[in-house]
Structure formats: C-alpha cells, structure tokens
Amino acid sequence: MSLTTFDTATSAVEKMRAIIARCDELEPRIGAFIHRNAEDALAQAAASDERRAAGKSLGPLDGVIVGVKDLISVKGHPLSCASRILENYVSPYDAHVAEKLKAAGAILWGRLNMDEFAMGSSCETSYFQKTHNPWDLERTPGGSSGGSAAAVAAGMCEIALGSDTGGSIRQPAAYCGIVGLKPTYGLVSRYGLAAFASSLDQIGPMGRTVADCAALLQAMAGHDERDSTSLKLTVPDYMSALAEPEKPVRIGLPKEYYTDGVDPEIRAAVDAAVEFYKSRGCEIKEVSLPHTDYAIPVYYIIAPAEASSNLSRYDGVRYTRRSPDAKTTYEVYCKSRGEGFGSEVKRRILLGSYALSSGYYDAYYLRAQKVRTLIRNDFLKAFEDVDVLLTPTTPHHPFRIGEKVDDPLSMYLEDIFTISVNLAGLPGLSMPCGFSSGGLPIGMQLIGKPLDETTLLKTAKTFEQAHNFKDAHPSL
Ligand code: GLN
C-alpha cells in the first residue's frame, strides 16, 4: 500500500485533463497560476502513461502532477519571479530539482504565483495578480509561496514546489491547511532557483500529507556540485522511516513562542497537539531560545543585504525587460529597474545597499551575522535536551487582502515564528492542527535538528494519522 495520496492508478492524461478543467473553473476566483502549460503538461502525462503501460515506470512519482513556484527554472517554461522585470523571460535550462523530478517521471505543471522575488507574506506584491485563499476568498493564502499553497489546497495540482527564506513555505501552508517542509540548509540544491537571500533560501515540498512531502523531498534531496552550499551526504530513506512504527520523542516548547501575542484559537489548537503527544508517551519540556527577539531585525539586515547583491543582475542589459524610454546606458539601468521592480523589492534593495555600504557594514551586516550565530546556538543548546520543537506556525489567522500591504512592519512580524529556523539553517515543517471558529485552517510548526528530517516527518505523521485535518477541503 502506498503511503502517499498521489493517484497513480488513473491514467496521467485523464488526471491532467481533470486538473486542467478544475483550474479553468476555479482560477478566476483563486488566481494561483501565473502561467499554465496545458499542452506541454498533457504531453508529459502521455509520456508517463506510455512508460507505465510498457512496464517502465520511473518510480512512485511517475505521473504525479507537481505545481512549480515561479522562481524555479524549468527549461522552456516562463520564469518571472512574479516581477515585471522578468515579464518575458523563458528558462533556458532546468533547475536541479526540475531535473530530478523529470527523472522521476513527475509532470511539471504551471507557474505558481508568489510575492515578487519571494519578498512578502501574502502574494500581494506579485506584479501580475493577487492569489485568494481557497478557505476564504477575501483572505490571502500567505506568502511568498501562496500560489503553491492555494493550488494544492484547491486541488489544482497534486503537490507543489515552494521556496522558504524566512517562512515562505510554512506560513502559506499553515494559512491554506496543508503540509509544508523547509529542509535543512544545504539538503536540496538551489541550482536554477532565482536567488533572494542565498544564505537562507531553500526549496521544499508543499503537499496534502506528510508522506506526500516526504516522497517529493526524497526525489529532490542530495548533493549537487552546481550549488556550493549543497551538502555531501547519503540521503536517508524517509519513506521507509515513515512506514516504521512510531517512537515517542522528546518535544521542546520554546517559551518565547508561547506568548500573549498569539491568537487564542491558535494557542488552543497547539496546546491540544501538545496534549496529544503527551498521550502518546512523548516527554514535553519547556525550553528557551533567549535571542528570539532579535530574529526579525537580524533577518531584515541579512536578507535585504543579500537580495541587494543578488538582484543587481537584473539590469536591463541582459535577460530582463529593458525600458523602451532608455536612451543612455545609465537610463537603461535606472529606468529598467525603476519600472521593472515593485515597491517592496525596491525597499529591500535600498535597505540592503544601506546595510552593506562602507562605514555601515560592520555596524549592521557583520553585527547581524554575529547575532545570527547566537540564535543558532540557542537552538543547538535546546536540542541537547529534546528531539523536536513544537510551536505555532503563525501568531494570527490568514489576514484579509489589503489589510497589511501598506504596513510593511506588521507584514514582517507575521514571520516571527518561522524566521529563526532559516537563520539557524534547521528543518521546519508546518502542518494543519485545527480550524478557527470562522473555519480558517490553523498550522503548527515542528522544528528539527540539522538534517533530522526523518524525526520531523515521523513526528508529524503520528499526529496526522490520529486526526482528520488532511481530509478537510475548502468548499469551492
Ligand atoms: N516574508 C518573508 C520576507 O518577506 C520571508 C519570505 C520568504 O521566505 N521568501 O522576506
């Protein structure tokens, strides 16, 4: 029996047709896709059917429909990072993860909406469109991988790829009632991922169940020499680990994450999860991550600093859109970037350039890096006594479209529980653990030791199996 929810019994072409029809019906209300490659996806599906009919299946992902966030290169597909500056760009090559998934027979479907260059928490900074939360169309699906989360929740793909720099897989997963996993920094190669903040970015799966995410991670993880941060290691067999009987673990509750600022319904859902684990024989311990308060300020130095450097390649000269009004070289740079980037991206570039400028580098960037080490050490110390940490994924329920878009600080604060995990390079998983009285999904976060995705996935599976949140679907 397969652990995943992927439908590999139906013909891939039939399944793809049904998904295309579902998108035709729902997309006008949800807006998860920037681009849909229907013909090409049907051709990929036909190839999968042919292979499997000939007894040459490429494995458990053959014929599985995977949505792709619009910052991961797939040869011949458009890639815009939801930005005007890359409006007409087409990827000339496959990202490492695209190569891996193609080799596993997966169908790469569509280009999913996101915040521009992954900067945001609501999909509202996309140049093209806003994405609506399938559970309440007036609310955001979260971000930046909001298109991925909404598409999975609404059944417009079987699973999706997201990326997470400060919470962009986990927060939208929580908001849309699905599972999202940010792997340990270095586990999945970023070759072919448009870089935002290179010391934080990771690609990860967003799916309906823990096993679905494990299966996708299994296919993508592992060393790739084209990403210098890619770790040389043997990838554990996550799927077999999930099939083994559960073992009680030691769970830490960081006291800095259980504060008054958390919505009472979210707090209650997370408390109930803690009680559940206790009933399964897990040891529960309060732990402390004393430098938590510095996580957001540190992130908003480091991430914009790295972004300001990474985004300098979009200059109007090479592959980007060039302003038609530019007459001099200087104008090519200024006008193309001025017209091509949205205001949040400009804000980050300004913040980052300032933090890196001579005279300020030591005071800001270097200092932030030092505090980052303290944040990582907090986690490593906590993990001397516990195996995983359990926290809410977000302090609040999905907010309304338009509610925070003009208030960057309150938008930044949405990532309060996810950002430290990126700064420390740890794996983090968000999964559904309840609903608000208004019917909005609630997510909890499990944080693991470096490269201990196995314990994270197994602990999540224990909870998932005993609850029926994965069977709840938005009524569309
Ligand atoms: N919301 C955070 C930001 O705006 C994190 C985004 C991300 O993880 N890509 O930077």
Side-chain angles (χ1 to χ4, degrees):
M1 235 263 307
S2 162
L3 289 174
T4 62
T5 66
F6 305 136
D7 174 7
T8 44
T10 315
S11 109
V13 168
E14 219 173 280
K15 207 169 57 171
M16 197 62 236
R17 283 215 184 98
I19 290 234
I20 292 169
R22 190 162 171 83
C23 290
D24 287 343
E25 182 202 332
L26 296 178
E27 267 297 90
R29 281 180 282 155
I30 297 196
F33 289 82
I34 294 178
H35 175 81
R36 282 183 275 157
N37 53 313
E39 235 173 81
D40 161 74
L42 283 168
Q44 295 181 57
S48 166
D49 283 343
E50 223 169 275
R51 246 183 340 252
R52 290 185 294 151
K56 291 187 179 145
S57 167
L58 296 172
L61 292 181
D62 204 338
V64 172
I65 301 168
V66 183
V68 184
K69 184 175 179 182
D70 197 26
L71 78 179
I72 294 169
S73 307
V74 177
K75 190 173 179 176
H77 290 197
L79 177 150
S80 75
C81 295
S83 181
R84 187 184 192 196
I85 206 157
L86 286 171
E87 208 174 357
N88 297 312
Y89 178 78
V90 174
S91 294
Y93 68 95
D94 276 328
H96 176 78
V97 294
E99 273 175 13
K100 287 282 206 178
L101 292 175
K102 282 182 178 177
I107 299 166
L108 299 182
W109 166 230
R111 306 296 303 173
L112 292 162
N113 196 31
M114 52 185 277
D115 285 290
E116 186 178 4
F117 284 104
M119 298 171 189
S121 306
S122 66
C123 271
E124 289 168 288
T125 70
S126 167
Y127 168 66
F128 300 100
Q129 69 211 31
K130 297 190 185 4
T131 299
H132 299 256
N133 190 317
W135 292 92
D136 177 345
L137 297 172
E138 293 187 354
R139 292 176 193 267
T140 83
S144 63
S145 314
S148 304
V152 171
M156 298 194 287
C157 56
E158 292 187 275
I159 188 163
L161 290 173
S163 69
D164 191 314
T165 305
S168 274
I169 286 177
R170 291 159 287 158
Q171 182 251 23
Y175 277 11
C176 292
I178 64 165
V179 181
L181 171 64
K182 181 203 90 76
T184 305
Y185 186 74
L187 183 61
V188 176
S189 164
R190 289 96 42 89
Y191 176 75
L193 168 79
F196 164 10
S198 307
S199 75
L200 300 157
D201 300 338
Q202 267 295 290
I203 298 172
M206 302 174 74
R208 286 197 276 267
T209 66
V210 173
D212 289 2
C213 289
L216 207 68
L217 181 66
Q218 194 85 61
M220 301 190 297
H223 181 64
D224 170 28
E225 61 185 19
R226 297 166 299 183
D227 174 352
S228 62
T229 66
S230 167
L231 298 169
K232 286 201 176 101
L233 47 83
T234 314
V235 178
D237 188 341
Y238 305 119
M239 296 312 281
S240 318
L242 280 184
E244 286 163 12
E246 66 179 80
K247 261 201 313 252
V249 290
R250 296 168 304 165
I251 298 180
L253 310 179
K255 67 170 193 244
E256 293 78 6
Y257 288 50
Y258 289 80
T259 58
D260 291 345
V262 179
D263 180 280
E265 288 183 325
I266 297 181
R267 178 64 195 260
V270 173
D271 286 347
V274 171
E275 286 308 313
F276 164 79
Y277 280 115
K278 229 187 248 173
S279 76
R280 287 303 172 95
C282 294
E283 192 186 320
I284 310 286
K285 267 193 172 168
E286 186 182 273
V287 296
S288 176
L289 302 170
H291 295 91
T292 295
D293 276 355
Y294 301 103
I296 294 220
V298 162
Y299 174 89
Y300 279 97
I301 302 275
I302 293 175
E306 294 179 5
S308 70
S309 162
N310 276 327
L311 269 58
S312 64
R313 76 191 69 185
Y314 306 111
D315 55 8
V317 176
R318 288 166 297 177
Y319 34 78
T320 48
R321 177 187 178 278
R322 178 175 301 177
S323 169
D325 304 330
K327 294 197 181 58
T328 63
T329 314
Y330 185 70
E331 281 180 8
V332 167
Y333 296 142
C334 292
K335 287 195 196 269
S336 304
R337 284 168 71 82
E339 293 165 11
F341 291 136
S343 55
E344 183 58 31
V345 174
K346 287 179 185 160
R347 177 161 32 239
R348 305 283 177 112
I349 293 174
L350 283 173
L351 278 172
S353 309
Y354 183 81
L356 290 177
S357 55
S358 94
Y360 293 109
Y361 180 90
D362 288 358
Y364 291 109
Y365 189 70
L366 202 64
R367 198 131 190 218
Q369 290 290 19
K370 288 181 180 166
V371 181
R372 177 179 188 171
T373 303
L374 298 177
I375 291 171
R376 180 171 164 88
N377 290 345
D378 283 354
F379 279 102
L380 298 182
K381 181 147 194 307
F383 281 128
E384 287 172 7
D385 296 326
V386 298
D387 305 304
V388 294
L389 300 174
L390 173 66
T391 78
T393 308
T394 62
H396 304 120
H397 297 305
F399 47 93
R400 285 178 196 283
I401 293 174
E403 190 179 320
K404 292 185 195 277
V405 76
D406 296 321
D407 183 357
L409 194 59
S410 95
M411 191 75 94
Y412 297 172
L413 286 170
E414 278 308 294
D415 297 318
I416 182 96
F417 298 145
T418 50
I419 265 181
S420 304
V421 176
N422 300 73
L423 290 168
L426 305 170
L429 176 149
S430 178
M431 68 185 300
C433 71
F435 283 94
S436 74
S437 48
L440 297 167
I442 297 175
M444 69 179 184
Q445 175 177 235
L446 294 166
I447 306 169
K449 295 179 185 172
L451 293 173
D452 195 10
E453 276 76 7
T454 304
T455 304
L456 211 56
L457 290 162
K458 280 180 70 90
T459 308
K461 180 88 196 303
T462 302
F463 182 85
E464 182 182 72
Q465 240 167 355
H467 297 82
N468 52 10
F469 300 120
K470 68 174 183 311
D471 304 318
H473 301 291
S475 55
L476 287 157

